[in-house]
Amino acid sequence: MTSLSKDTAFCFDLDGTITQTELLPLIAAEIGLERDMAALTKAAMEGQTAFEPSFRHRCQLLSAIPPDTITRIISDAPLDPHILGFIHENRQDCFILTGNLDIWIAPIIERLGCRTYASEAVYDNGTLELKTLLNKAATLRHIAETFDYRRIIAIGDGANDADMLSEATIAIAFGGVHPPAESAIQAADHVVYDGKALCSLLKSL
């Protein structure tokens, strides 16, 4: 199937938007820190703590988990079937913008099959080393300029998505897993709480 519009890009957050769970708490369950990680993730998502130091701290907490274990966990993470179908139908114009680590989310990106921008990290002698943290707003501008899109539709749920939503031509705050952050709602043109409804809206815009 061809894309809906050759002049429109669709930029999706990953955790809690495409995935039907937050990924870091899912990983943290492996070492019994699911509740603590969920609380830290919620605070960052709602803007109660700054994203970058919170994310670095959360990654440090998970750094002792072997990479192959993380790959197994991420491979089993549930994805919203409606959003997954939309991306597969329009993959040449769909982009994932995520603060999560490229080396952790690789199994999901393979399932999605579209271009992805993520934070970058490596394992150096078994030690996790963060290289870059993604700036979603700057990346959205890069996509618009590099691929010459007339419109950018952005979809996200957290406080760290608010700047990206503000940069978009059309912004959608999505609450499929949990209510979107207030800052995301304030930056949005639409607020949607269901994957099927989200895809119907995307097709109508």
Side-chain angles (χ1 to χ4, degrees):
M1 182 178 294
T2 58
S3 63
L4 295 175
S5 173
K6 294 183 183 300
D7 64 356
T8 302
F10 303 92
C11 293
F12 293 87
D13 169 49
L14 180 65
D15 288 51
T17 298
I18 296 172
T19 66
Q20 293 184 309
T21 184
E22 292 287 341
L23 294 177
L24 297 192
L26 189 66
I27 297 169
E30 184 72 18
I31 53 175
L33 290 178
E34 182 177 10
R35 287 188 177 182
D36 292 341
M37 188 63 66
L40 291 168
T41 299
K42 183 174 185 289
M45 189 207 76
E46 293 179 351
Q48 298 172 10
T49 58
F51 176 79
E52 181 171 339
S54 170
F55 185 72
R56 289 183 180 277
H57 175 56
R58 285 177 284 155
C59 287
Q60 185 62 37
L61 291 174
L62 301 176
S63 62
I65 301 176
D68 57 345
T69 300
I70 292 179
T71 297
R72 171 181 56 78
I73 294 168
I74 295 297
S75 296
D76 292 335
L79 308 183
D80 185 291
H82 303 289
I83 300 175
L84 179 62
F86 180 90
I87 290 173
H88 283 173
E89 292 172 2
N90 303 279
R91 68 183 71 205
Q92 70 185 42
D93 294 317
C94 287
F95 301 82
I96 310 304
L97 280 62
T98 175
N100 214 323
L101 302 184
D102 55 352
I103 58 175
W104 285 357
I105 62 171
I108 291 177
I109 299 312
E110 184 175 352
R111 290 167 66 185
L112 293 172
C114 64
R115 284 170 286 210
T116 299
Y117 296 86
S119 299
E120 299 175 341
V122 296
Y123 283 96
D124 184 6
N125 293 322
T127 300
L128 180 68
E129 182 180 343
L130 273 63
K131 294 293 189 180
T132 64
L133 289 182
L134 187 76
N135 182 313
K136 292 187 179 184
T139 302
L140 186 144
R141 292 192 295 270
H142 167 78
I143 290 170
E145 295 166 2
T146 301
F147 299 100
D148 197 28
Y149 283 106
R150 183 178 65 85
R151 299 194 310 168
I152 303 285
I153 298 177
I155 306 98
D157 65 339
N160 66 312
D161 294 314
D163 288 346
M164 174 183 75
L165 296 176
S166 295
E167 290 280 345
T169 314
I170 300 173
I172 303 171
F174 183 60
V177 172
H178 38 59
E182 183 60 31
S183 57
I185 292 174
Q186 291 298 322
D189 301 295
H190 306 273
V191 182
V192 183
Y193 291 89
D194 171 80
K196 184 177 181 180
L198 171 65
C199 293
S200 294
L201 174 61
L202 293 177
K203 292 173 183 178
S204 72
L205 294 173

